Amino acid sequence: MADTAIKTSEEKKEYFDTEEELEEKIDKLATWILSSEHFISFTGAGISTACGIPDFRSGMDTVLPTGPGCWELAANKKKKKPVKPKKGASVSMHKAYPSKTHMAFVSMIESGLMKFLISQNVDGLHRKSGVPAEKISELHGNTNLEKCKDCGKQYLRDFRVRNAKKAKAHKTGRLCDDPSCRGPLRDSIINFGENLPEEDLNNAFNHAECADICLSMGSSLRVTPAADIPLRVAENGGKLVIVNLQRTPLDEHAALNIHAKCDDVIERLMEKLTIEIPKWKINRFVEVCCKDKKVTVSGRDEQHNYYSLFPKVEMKNGRDLKSLKTSIKEPHNFPLTEHSPSELKIKLYFQGHYGEKPLILTFDREESDTKLFKIVFDPFVGEWEPAESLF
Ligand SMILES: [Zn+2]
């Protein structure tokens, strides 16, 4: 990817539409979305500032609670100017809660209104909020996703996968768990000067080709080739709608430029579309498989693909306390013995970014040899809902 850095104070300046302007613009946007055939969205760091994750290009005078962008702070440090960032509520990506905009996208995709989502954000919040993998291109990678260099298998983890120190180094030190492959795993983060993932990029351009409306939210539209995607929609005669506080190089191609915070726009938009913004809950899936005299416990994502969730799993393998077995390494396997009860109690431990407490699952191995459980955690209440067995 390549970048056009913000240089002038005019480019850093934030604009705000008046109440009347906003009302009129969002009215228009809602009408266009409702009559669209292929509505897509494009997101940048601006949709995650409401989650406490600072962006890149906000100036020193930004209204955002996260304060100036990372690059603005770095530039001021270099110039040895005193840097007084705002008292921002900035949080790590792993502890951030999806914003109203993230959650609105989930329901627009579920309702079939939004056909595809393209994001430049690496915070993983779109997938975390519940957007299915096949509905999104994460052009610059995902902090939770690593891929096998040899066979391409993807591994979603409930922790930051990147641990390479050099910008162009991507090996994570972990290996593909496919016994016939065992290739090295690489983080999915794309740095400047590196090529974007081909499949994600192609998917994004294919959707842009047939899009009649593209809603760009919270992106300065200065990083290519990502910014060429919304531009393609406009060039094809589709409507490009840009929601951003600062002006962007694509403003002149837009059918509408909305200057307001993303969550404020999305709240009004969803009201007009009469779609509720759902409250975020953490949906997790757990597969318990009982084969060849062992029990294997593994985390799964919404599509039931492998997802590293548990730093520790415990299982009581008999009647006495000594029979309590602990696994701290994936795959979490427990050998079955003649003393193993038919009803197994499996205690799952989590990374706990949102205060997830351990949870005990009951698995009757005489009932079936494989079961998939859906477990739901309400981070606002701090409790797990009762586990539901899917099959
Ligand atoms: Zn592999």
Side-chain angles (χ1 to χ4, degrees), residues 202-222:
N202 288 343
N203 261 342
F205 272 110
N206 288 342
H207 280 279
E209 287 298 340
C210 44
D212 48 3
I213 174 163
C214 174
L215 173 63
S216 171
M217 295 197 86
S219 171
S220 60
L221 297 169
R222 285 171 193 274

Side-chain angles (χ1 to χ4, degrees), residues 148 151 176 181 183:
C148 174
C151 74
C176 182
C181 176

Side-chain angles (χ1 to χ4, degrees), residues 284-286 288 361-363 371-375 387-389:
R284 304 282 197 223
F285 297 83
V286 191
V288 182
L361 282 184
T362 306
F363 174 73
K371 252 191 187 172
L372 186 75
F373 295 91
K374 183 182 182 183
I375 55 172
E388 183 189 345
S389 156

